[in-house]
Every structure is written in structure tokens, then in C-alpha cells.
Amino acid sequence: MSADRLSVYEAIRLRRDVRAEFTGAPVDEDTLWRILDAAHRAPSVGNSQPWDFVVVRDPVTLRRFADHVAGKRVEFRDALPPERAATFEPIKIEGIVESGTGIVVGYDHDRGGPQVLGRATVPETGVYSAVLAIQNLWLAATAEGVGVGWVSFYDPEFLAELVGLPTGIRPIAWLCVGPVREFQTVPDLERFGWRTGRPLSEAVHRETFGETGFNAEPSTTNARVVPPPRT
Ligand SMILES: Cc1cc2nc3c(=O)[nH]c(=O)nc-3n(C[C@H](O)[C@H](O)[C@H](O)COP(=O)(O)O)c2cc1C
């Protein structure tokens, strides 16, 4: 393994949803394969691996999808109250053409047969599994200096038809993937005043939901490094 790759904690801290920082150069095939391999190693309910990845590079397809997303962006903006519309206006919501590569993630609820172990009472566990594959891909890409931007401004039927998904496989993400000049340190939605994230201490609850927070937040910058087992 190359020593210049990031640790998993470093990749988690560096990861960003990328829209404007793509260099325009395409991600090379070897790197693309490694990040898809990382996605395919995700855990999945009943080992069902309900995902498929359609890699899209045809400029005509990228443009058609970008035009569709532009229309959905207008629909969303027009439904906002004026003050929110003004905040939303400068926010870029995709880098479909600039990234040069789209990965459409398909979800197949029938993959894994009629009795998927662990999905009987929580059917969403299938989609959870596919999303874990996306997160694996996102972190692996970050470690490679490759940006990922998740686009969800689309009609699923349009996207399914655009990339020829068979009946039963539904698109759950379009990921813009490409080398980046830099990763922003603050999420775009915070930088543009749309929405700010909350501290971890508000998200952590003790024993019951009513009890929140730690007295002191443990350091996230000095994550413990577990040494490899001795042979
Ligand atoms: C399910 C999902 C859908 C998203 N859809 C979009 C999208 O359509 N356009 C966009 O610009 N960002 C999209 N994002 C990115 C989020 O806005 C982003 O993750 C969030 O603002 C936090 O920023 P960060 O990922 O850089 O930490 C999506 C993220 C997720 C997880």
C-alpha cells in the first residue's frame, strides 16, 4: 500500500461534496477501478450487494443529464420563499459536465433472493446497504485526491431511462467524480449561508434521547492509531 495515501480519519475529515473544484481532467481507469472496488467491499444486508454502478462518460449523456438537473434546480428555486431563493441562487448544485465522469448507483431490491437475511422487518436496510457503498466510494476517492459530488435533483424515471436501467433497478444517486484542485474546508451550504451543521455533542444521546451531550468532547484530531498485530 502506498504510504502517501490518507488514513481513514484523514479522508473522513478531508471529504467534501464537490461541485466547483473539478480540474476537468478525467479520473484515470485504474483509480476509478480502485474506488469502485472500495464501494463493492461495503457491508450489505444478507450479503445481498444490491448495488450496480453505471459509469457515464459520453459528453452527450452528461449534457442531457445536466440540462435535466438545471430544470429541476429552477423548479426548486421557484418554490422557495424570496429570501431563501436569494440565498440559494449562487449555490452550485452539480458538476456533471466539469467532472467528466458520472457514476449512477442503481439499487435492486430483488437482489439476494426472496429471503434476505436481516431485511424482513426493516426493508430500508437494502437501500442503507447501497448508501454504504457510496460512502466507501466517497472516502476512497478522497484518499486518491478525487472529488465526488452527489446529485439528487432529478426524476428517477428520467435517469433510469437515460442510462438504460432495467425494470426493478432504481437509481439512487448520480455521483460526479473527477480529480480536484482542492477540497474546500467548509461545506458549500455553510459557506453560502444555506444551512450550518451542528456539533457532535448535540447528536449524541446517553441511554435515552432526552439525555444529550458529553461534558468534554473527545479529541477528534488525535485519533488512536491501532498498531498492526504482531506476527
Ligand atoms: C443523499 C444526498 C443527496 C445530496 N444531493 C445533493 C445535490 O443534489 N446537490 C448538491 O449540491 N449536493 C447534494 N448533496 C451534498 C450535501 O449538500 C452535502 O453533503 C452537505 O451539504 C454537507 O457537505 P459536505 O458533504 O461537503 O460535508 C447530497 C448529499 C447527500 C448525502
Side-chain angles (χ1 to χ4, degrees):
M1 182 162 67
S2 158
D4 57 9
R5 299 253 170 81
L6 302 177
S7 77
V8 70
Y9 281 106
E10 288 167 333
I12 287 168
R13 277 196 289 274
L14 191 64
R15 186 209 58 79
R16 270 284 74 80
D17 186 86
V18 174
R19 299 126 170 133
E21 293 79 15
F22 292 110
T23 63
V27 59
D28 68 80
E29 286 286 314
D30 286 352
T31 308
L32 184 60
W33 189 255
R34 281 196 299 276
I35 67 176
L36 288 167
D37 180 65
H40 194 60
R41 290 173 190 272
S44 61
V45 65
N47 207 16
S48 55
Q49 299 183 305
W51 48 71
D52 285 277
F53 309 103
V54 182
V55 178
V56 182
R57 286 184 150 156
D58 182 343
V60 174
T61 311
L62 297 179
R63 173 47 58 198
R64 276 191 70 199
F65 187 61
D67 289 346
H68 173 76
V69 168
K72 295 293 146 191
R73 186 184 197 285
V74 169
E75 282 176 21
F76 180 72
R77 185 203 59 203
D78 289 352
L80 292 171
E83 193 202 331
R84 289 299 269 168
T87 306
F88 178 66
E89 195 55 36
I91 299 176
K92 191 167 162 56
I93 57 143
E94 50 83 14
I96 298 160
V97 172
E98 305 91 304
S99 64
T101 301
I103 299 179
V104 178
V105 182
Y107 169 67
D108 183 356
H109 198 71
D110 295 332
R111 185 87 40 75
Q115 284 101 26
V116 174
L117 188 155
R119 207 182 66 186
T121 57
V122 188
E124 298 87 352
T125 48
V127 173
Y128 301 165
S129 306
V131 174
L132 286 170
I134 294 173
Q135 181 71 344
N136 269 15
L137 182 155
W138 211 333
L139 292 176
T142 306
E144 300 267 8
V146 169
V148 173
W150 186 325
V151 182
S152 52
F153 281 72
Y154 59 79
D155 284 332
E157 298 74 22
F158 175 90
L159 182 50
E161 206 255 304
L162 184 69
V163 299
L165 295 185
T167 306
I169 299 190
R170 74 175 160 106
I172 61 165
W174 176 292
L175 305 174
C176 308
V177 178
V180 287
R181 285 187 297 279
E182 59 170 343
F183 290 103
Q184 295 287 345
T185 54
V186 178
D188 280 10
L189 298 196
E190 295 198 17
R191 290 193 300 126
F192 287 90
W194 179 262
R195 185 175 162 81
T196 309
R198 61 185 178 142
L200 171 63
S201 54
E202 275 180 36
V204 176
H205 307 257
R206 297 273 196 190
E207 311 300 342
T208 62
F209 196 86
E211 300 294 324
T212 54
F214 283 77
N215 290 333
E217 289 211 11
S219 163
T220 52
T221 51
N222 295 315
R224 193 166 68 92
V225 176
V226 180
R230 284 166 197 241
T231 49

